[in-house]
Amino acid sequence: MKKYWLPILLLLFSTGLMAQSNGNYVYNFLSLNYSSRIAGLGSNLISVHDEDPSIIMTNPSLIGQRHHTSLMMNFTNYFKGSNYISAMYSHSFEKVGSFAFEMRYVGYGRFTETDITGQEIGSFRAGDLAAIVGWGRELGKGFSIGASLKMIYCGYADYNSFGIAADVAGTYYNEKRRLSVSLLFKNMGSELKPFTPGHFEKLPFDIQLAFSQRFAHIPVRYHISLHSLYKWNMTYTGTDNPLYSRDAITGEVQTPSKAAVFFDNLFRHVVFGIEIIPVKYLSLYFAYNHNIHQEMKIPQKRSFAGFSYGFMINIRSIQFGFSRNHYAVGAVPNNITFSMNIEELSKLNKERKEKKLIRQN
């Protein structure tokens, strides 16, 4: 029991601070993608039991011995004038489990500051910062658990806020079937110092469930991610939805049928992804996020809103990933991830030197 004190304490602590997301919330940057692979596979939880360190802070139950001494860096060229970066290192300890440490920073650029008359009086910057420590441990028989604790700071000109949040996750991996299933409780926490004194805002809490499985005879892995499981209705408009058409004679709004509304809501919770692995050092991935598509589509013009794609190259414990997410016309962020395993690279370098000495002798 003593071995699992950290996730139990985090779960008890964060449950008391849990914020139900039902509208606007603070610390939205916690929901951004800090992995090109996750971004390329639909921007939600994924469950893959492999050596890729870029996904373990999104799913802390994947933190394990196989990520020991892994170093990861991510850069995303977000919307105009804003970018975000992250850096992560993982280390395993024999008795207490595996840990990962990450720093995330989002910069929104420089803004012009004016007075109440519109006169320019200077400029200011805005940004978000999070320091995260994650813990994971394998329990045996394919089960593993993990948790992460996030210390948060946001500063916008003269306004700033401090907060704390936690993620708790569990994963089951069936090696024979190559099937992995993960459940995540995400961003449970609260502001400690709100932007406005006495006015505490909600965090982007979510419950997500993910499945992934690699087929036995073809080099393909599918990913299915379910998000926003704590609520059913994913739309935020009623009959005043500007995308609804109107009767040309009566002017009445032509609302969709109950069946159409049901299936639209159902698929808004689901993200579909496919990963193709033609050779062991290369993977290509594609995904579709129906909720993003519905929120960002323009009826008068077709777009790829909700679609994402990318690739990852893995050569001798060095990984490079790239992906793109389509939100709207002209809004297609690029995600770049670089990672390496320091210990594995040291072993490879040592082996090369030994082989070289043998040849020389």
Side-chain angles (χ1 to χ4, degrees), residues 181-235:
V181 182
S182 293
L183 177 65
L184 170 69
F185 293 82
K186 183 177 181 181
N187 296 328
M188 301 178 288
S190 174
E191 288 183 283
L192 301 178
K193 177 187 177 300
F195 287 103
T196 303
H199 181 66
F200 291 85
E201 301 181 71
K202 303 171 184 177
L203 271 65
F205 168 74
D206 200 5
I207 301 175
Q208 299 181 1
L209 179 66
F211 305 82
S212 78
Q213 184 176 28
R214 181 167 176 173
F215 295 105
H217 303 294
I218 56 175
V220 174
R221 179 188 288 119
Y222 72 82
H223 299 267
I224 299 176
S225 177
L226 309 177
H227 63 94
S228 305
L229 295 180
Y230 63 95
K231 64 177 180 180
W232 167 249
N233 187 11
M234 294 289 289
T235 61

Side-chain angles (χ1 to χ4, degrees), residues 235 237-247 252-256 261 264 299:
T235 61
T237 57
T239 56
D240 58 343
N241 190 332
L243 301 182
Y244 288 164
S245 59
R246 293 180 177 272
D247 187 277
E252 293 182 356
V253 176
Q254 296 179 324
T255 58
V261 172
D264 177 57

